[in-house]
């Protein structure tokens, strides 16, 4: 788009031939974009295949199995979609914070504590109120707990200038242990001997979509990421946040209430992480076991970066990541390739995506567009 | 109070040093990278790689010394990737840092799965070197002066780095690479070289910390054994505001809290591990709430240096 605008502006006198050329240019550009997004994926799979061959596993069979179980089989696809719900909410949480220049790396504890409080309260709430009311209140509980866990880092950052990378990481470590204390000592299900919370019955969970097993949590996730994308890209509130993120000092000079906006960003970001925890419990797990920590936040961080904080690109990356984790889980059981292998594939993919993005940027810089 | 018996204090301090040395090395390493302007999120991966290679070589050669060298090498392999990708090619430091951590977690766990998952071999305890005289002091003697030589070396590094940062040309160049790389470039110093060197040295330090965990601490390699200690190292470096001595203070505080559970068991007090594990983080948060000050980070931290770019 930008390419055609600038070139027609430069040579205004022969617009007709130029436009045809531009159209060719635009197609080329689009093809290149496609190549840039698919190329690293193929290269990463090739490198990972090499490792598989070294381990004595047939890579075609392995990846075929992952695609079959994560994408092509009905149960696998449904599990992939269900898994996307909490991940999309985490991604939305990170996009809000990162676009506003705030490094909320405390998502794991915000998620976990939201999940623990929801798992503790939902099975009791459902006894005194209809399911729909319980679900709404539980989602609110998750979001509130997540937000509460970020109050101290938010205030320290907003009014004392304390680096939020330190404080959110501290709160994450603190929160993970705290969640364990809660599960083991306070919210223990008296009916079981394993340390875990009470379990929310399957029929009381978030409704499933149509005739599938896909939890409607994925709709909450999609809605959240689209709303976040809209707010950040199209509203004045989002513009204010982006100004704070781009240059906090300039934002103060422009008369923006930077401290208040910072607190608002923390509340939104941590609230979304807490909501993600609630969705995971209400849609997928039903309870929290001791020492459970899926640590989504850290794995989603690079995905959000590679999507350049764009909501739509993030949805695509999260879909791919969810498919890979679901597929490799069953591949681990079937083919004896441990689940750790996914980590290696992810790492290679992230590095190659990073390199491609840099090459693309250099190409653009050379062309001056 | 009966809790503070000699046995309890000894167990606490011995444990504090054992748990604190990897944190100290991780913190010193991160501090070095950050001074040079590289926000090194990958140290968790470097530590794990160091732990794996340290263990592997110590087990193959039956020598703790070679094991430590292997750990340094293992950390440097990951660091070399980081230097290539983030310093030379200027990729996003957070994305690559997390990617390298994930990759090292996966790769070492896979290697462990292939080699050791059946046998789980164990290393014999490394040799202890008691300093004559000093090691006779009750409590402190056992904790500080009757240790493996690597402990003395790690503690000495605090002084070495403090001297390097303050008094040498190299220390000033390092600081400049993090604060105003363009100025350093104008002065005729190769920014890429300084930053790459700092990242590699960080890998060596952090890898040594990982090797310490595997060889001295556990005597065994377990997948994911660093369990977030690299991230604690990042926090220590940021809290220390550029001073190596504060990294040491923080590492001992965290180490003491991590070892408090064992020490309390020695004293016969039963407190859940999870509660104890909250202590160091709660302590740091309290300190920040009451003394909250800016972290004083280098101004070009996290930004790749591109020659001639504005």
């Amino acid at each position: 788009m930008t390419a055609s605008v600038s070139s027609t502006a430069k040579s205004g006198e022969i617009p007709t031939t130029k436009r045809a050329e531009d159209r060719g240019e635009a197609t080329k550009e689009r093809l290149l974009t496609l190549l840039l997004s698919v190329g690293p994926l193929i290269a990463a799979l090739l490198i990972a295949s090499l490792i598989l061959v070294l381990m004595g596993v047939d890579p075609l069979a392995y990846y075929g199995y992952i695609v079959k179980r994560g994408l092509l089989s009905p149960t696998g696809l449904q599990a992939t979609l269900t898994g996307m719900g909490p991940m999309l909410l985490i991604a939305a949480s990170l996009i809000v914070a990162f676009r506003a220049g705030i490094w909320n790396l405390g998502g794991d504890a915000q998620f976990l504590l939201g999940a623990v409080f929801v798992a503790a309260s939902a099975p009791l709430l459902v006894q005194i109120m209809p399911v729909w009311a319980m679900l709404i209140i539980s989602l609110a509980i998750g979001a509130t707990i997540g937000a509460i866990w970020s109050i101290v880092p938010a205030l320290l950052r907003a009014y004392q200038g304390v680096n939020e990378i330190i404080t959110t990481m501290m709160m994450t470590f603190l929160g993970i242990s705290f969640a364990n204390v809660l599960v083991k000592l306070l919210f223990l299900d008296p009916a079981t001997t394993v340390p875990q919370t009470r379990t929310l019955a399957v029929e009381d969970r978030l409704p499933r979509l149509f005739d599938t097993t896909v939890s409607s949590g994925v709709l909450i996730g999609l809605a959240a990421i689209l709303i976040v994308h809209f707010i950040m890209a199209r509203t004045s509130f989002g513009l204010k946040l982006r100004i704070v993120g781009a240059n906090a000092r300039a934002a103060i000079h422009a008369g923006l209430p930077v401290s208040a906006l910072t607190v608002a960003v923390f509340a939104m970001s941590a609230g979304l992480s807490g909501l993600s925890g609630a969705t995971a419990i209400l849609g997928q797990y039903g309870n929290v076991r001791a020492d459970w920590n899926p640590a989504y936040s850290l794995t989603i961080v690079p995905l959000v970066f590679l999507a350049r904080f764009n909501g739509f690109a993030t949805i695509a990356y999260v879909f791919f990541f969810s498919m890979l984790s679901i597929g490799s889980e069953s591949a681990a059981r079937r083919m004896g390739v441990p689940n750790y292998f996914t980590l290696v594939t992810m790492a290679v993919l992230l590095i190659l995506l990073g390199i491609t993005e840099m090459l693309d940027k250099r190409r653009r810089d050379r062309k001056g567009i | 109070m009966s809790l503070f018996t000699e046995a309890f204090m000894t167990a606490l301090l011995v444990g504090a040093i054992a748990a604190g040395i990897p944190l100290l090395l991780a913190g010193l390493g991160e501090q070095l990278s950050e001074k040079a302007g590289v926000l090194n999120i990958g140290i968790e991966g470097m530590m794990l790689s160091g732990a794996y290679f340290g263990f592997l070589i110590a087990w193959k050669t039956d020598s703790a010394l070679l094991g430590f060298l292997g750990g340094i090498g293992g950390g440097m392999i990951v660091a070399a990737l980081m230097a290539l990708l983030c310093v030379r090619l200027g990729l996003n430091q957070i994305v690559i840092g997390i990617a390298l951590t994930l990759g090292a977690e996966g790769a070492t766990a896979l290697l462990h799965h292939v080699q050791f998952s059946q046998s789980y071999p164990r290393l014999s305890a490394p040799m202890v070197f008691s300093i004559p005289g000093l090691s006779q002091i009750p409590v402190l003697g056992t904790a500080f002066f009757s240790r493996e030589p690597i402990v003395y070396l790690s503690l000495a590094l605090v002084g070495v780095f403090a001297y390097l940062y303050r008094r040498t040309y190299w220390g000033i160049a390092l600081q400049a690479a993090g604060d105003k790389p363009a100025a350093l470039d104008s002065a005729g110093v190769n920014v890429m070289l300084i930053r790459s060197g700092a990242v590699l040295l960080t890998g060596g330090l952090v890898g040594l910390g990982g090797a310490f965990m595997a060889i001295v601490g556990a005597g065994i390699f377990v997948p994911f054994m660093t369990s977030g200690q690299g991230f604690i190292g990042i926090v220590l470096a940021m809290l220390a505001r550029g001073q190596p001595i504060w990294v040491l203070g923080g590492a001992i505080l965290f180490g003491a809290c991590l070892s408090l559970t064992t020490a309390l068991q020695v004293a016969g007090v039963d407190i859940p591990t999870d509660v104890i594990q909250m202590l160091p983080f709660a302590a740091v948060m309290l300190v920040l709430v009451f003394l909250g000050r800016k972290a004083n980070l280098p101004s070009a931290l996290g930004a790749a240096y591109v020659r001639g770019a504005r």
Side-chain angles (χ1 to χ4, degrees):
Chain A
M1 277 311 280
T2 39
S4 60
V5 168
S6 65
S7 55
T8 36
K10 257 181 254 161
S11 50
E13 60 274 24
I14 34 166
T16 33
T17 46
K18 203 71 196 163
R19 210 175 289 148
E21 243 172 70
D22 278 347
R23 214 172 294 139
E25 189 82 343
T27 329
K28 222 198 229 168
E29 196 72 16
R30 220 166 287 148
L31 271 175
L32 202 68
T33 313
L34 189 71
L35 184 76
L36 284 175
S37 30
V38 181
L41 179 63
I42 294 172
L45 290 180
L46 281 178
I47 294 178
S49 302
L50 263 178
I51 303 173
L52 279 175
V53 170
L54 287 178
M55 286 173 60
V57 177
D58 178 5
L60 278 180
Y62 179 75
Y63 285 112
Y65 194 72
I66 285 187
V67 172
K68 207 172 89 192
R69 294 309 302 253
L71 191 63
L72 300 180
S73 84
T75 47
L77 182 61
Q78 289 168 9
T80 297
L81 291 174
T82 302
M84 281 177 73
M87 291 182 192
L88 285 172
L89 282 160
I90 292 278
S93 148
L94 295 174
I95 289 175
V96 173
F98 291 176
R99 278 223 179 182
I102 289 178
W103 301 101
N104 174 17
L105 298 182
D108 282 341
Q110 292 150 11
F111 169 94
L112 206 53
L113 286 169
V116 166
F117 276 90
V118 167
S121 58
L124 301 178
L125 287 175
V126 81
Q127 292 168 7
I128 53 169
M129 59 176 71
V131 172
W132 61 268
M134 176 278 291
L135 288 174
I136 292 172
I137 291 181
S138 293
L139 290 173
I141 289 178
T144 314
I145 295 289
I148 286 176
W149 203 246
S150 79
I151 285 182
V152 176
L155 295 179
L156 283 177
R157 161 74 200 234
Y159 298 101
Q160 298 274 338
V162 178
N163 182 301
E164 74 283 3
I165 298 181
I166 303 178
T167 50
T168 53
M169 273 195 174
M170 288 284 121
M171 292 304 279
T172 267
F173 289 120
L174 192 62
I176 292 169
S177 296
F178 185 48
N180 271 329
V181 171
L182 290 175
V183 172
K184 287 175 189 168
L185 300 179
L186 204 59
F187 297 149
L188 206 62
D189 182 0
T192 61
T193 50
V194 212
Q196 64 178 41
T197 62
R198 287 186 178 81
T199 307
L200 186 65
V202 176
E203 63 271 17
D204 297 338
R205 297 188 189 168
L206 283 172
R208 290 170 168 181
L209 296 178
F210 315 113
D211 288 339
T212 66
T213 59
V214 178
S215 165
S216 45
V218 68
L219 294 186
I220 302 180
L222 282 172
I225 208 153
L226 292 177
I227 291 171
V228 160
H229 187 90
F230 176 77
I231 290 179
M232 295 314 275
R234 297 263 181 262
T235 66
S236 67
F237 179 66
L239 180 64
K240 283 179 194 166
L241 294 186
R242 280 187 289 148
I243 294 172
V244 174
N247 190 338
R249 207 171 292 169
I252 294 175
H253 282 293
L256 294 178
V258 173
S259 298
L261 285 173
T262 303
V263 174
V265 169
F266 267 103
M268 283 168 64
S269 173
L272 282 165
S273 287
L275 189 62
S276 170
T279 314
I281 296 308
L282 298 173
Q284 274 175 286
Y285 295 97
N287 64 18
V288 174
R289 294 178 186 184
D291 298 319
W292 178 69
N293 175 20
Y296 287 138
S297 191
L298 204 60
T299 15
I300 307 280
V301 167
L303 297 184
V304 168
F305 262 102
L306 293 170
R308 293 183 202 157
F309 310 150
N310 177 306
F312 300 102
T314 305
I315 294 176
Y317 279 122
V318 166
F319 175 75
F320 177 76
F321 178 65
S322 183
M323 183 203 81
L324 196 63
S325 15
I326 295 292
S328 64
E329 226 168 81
S330 22
R333 265 177 268 126
R334 172 66 76 84
M335 307 190 63
V337 178
N339 230 343
Y340 320 129
F341 187 72
T342 320
L343 293 173
V344 180
T345 315
M346 273 301 284
V348 176
L349 180 61
L350 288 173
I351 291 172
L352 289 176
L353 281 169
I355 292 177
T356 329
E357 197 189 306
M358 178 215 50
L359 291 176
D360 185 41
K361 190 172 171 295
R362 285 199 183 169
R363 185 184 64 87
R364 280 161 193 272
D365 286 351
R366 254 202 320 276
K367 282 176 77 179
I369 47 178
Chain B
M1 209 169 123
S2 64
L3 186 65
F4 292 99
T5 58
E6 198 178 311
F8 172 78
M9 289 307 290
T10 309
L12 181 63
L13 269 180
V14 168
I17 298 290
I21 293 292
L23 295 176
L24 170 67
L25 290 168
L28 286 177
E30 179 68 26
Q31 187 170 54
L32 181 64
S33 273
E34 284 184 12
K35 272 185 189 281
V38 180
L39 180 64
N40 197 334
I41 303 273
I43 63 168
E44 177 82 12
M46 296 173 194
M47 205 171 186
L48 205 50
S49 171
Y52 171 76
F53 282 104
F55 173 79
L56 180 72
I57 291 176
W59 178 66
K60 290 256 192 222
T61 62
D62 206 24
S63 151
L65 177 65
L66 289 178
F68 289 129
L69 291 177
I72 293 176
M76 279 185 157
I77 295 173
V78 182
L81 274 173
M82 176 118 198
L84 173 72
L85 295 168
C86 294
V87 180
R88 296 293 314 179
L89 299 178
L91 302 189
N92 186 307
Q93 293 171 4
I94 291 179
V95 174
I96 296 302
I98 292 177
L100 289 178
T101 293
L102 294 178
E105 283 179 347
T108 53
L110 271 185
L111 286 166
H112 174 268
H113 175 81
V114 175
Q115 292 170 293
F116 303 128
S117 63
Q118 306 297 321
S119 52
Y120 276 97
R122 217 162 232 294
L123 299 173
S124 49
M127 187 195 62
V128 166
F129 179 77
S130 300
I131 297 176
L134 289 175
S135 59
Q136 303 304 315
I137 308 171
V139 184
L140 290 181
T142 336
F144 286 99
F145 302 116
S146 183
R147 302 303 294 246
E148 299 78 7
I150 189 77
V151 173
Y152 306 131
L153 177 77
S154 308
L155 293 173
L157 279 176
V158 176
V160 172
F161 276 110
Y163 175 80
L164 281 177
Y165 292 149
R166 282 274 184 82
R167 302 263 179 241
T168 64
Y169 166 84
W170 186 79
I172 306 295
L174 190 75
Q175 208 98 24
D179 272 328
K180 200 87 190 161
L184 187 65
D185 202 359
S186 311
V189 183
N190 188 338
V191 176
M192 298 296 177
L193 198 69
I194 293 276
R195 283 190 168 186
S196 307
V199 171
L200 272 182
L201 205 53
T202 294
L205 282 169
V206 177
L208 183 63
F212 184 93
M213 285 179 85
I215 297 171
V216 179
I220 187 169
F221 179 81
V222 190
F224 311 101
M225 72 182 292
T226 50
S227 61
Q229 301 214 16
F231 289 105
I232 300 181
I234 297 175
V235 170
L236 285 179
M238 286 188 161
L239 286 172
R241 317 179 88 210
Q243 308 279 354
I245 189 77
W246 283 105
V247 178
L248 176 65
I252 291 183
L253 170 75
F254 273 77
C257 291
L258 289 175
S259 76
L260 196 56
T261 332
T262 341
L264 283 173
Q265 275 163 5
V266 171
V269 183
D270 190 27
I271 295 182
T273 327
D274 297 304
V275 177
I276 305 283
Q277 277 173 351
M278 289 167 64
L279 286 177
F281 306 112
V284 171
M285 284 309 292
L286 276 179
V287 169
L288 285 172
V289 167
F290 288 111
L291 306 169
R293 291 184 302 175
K294 297 189 182 201
N296 223 10
L297 296 171
S299 55
L301 184 65
Y305 177 61
V306 183
R307 243 192 158 164
R310 288 190 302 152

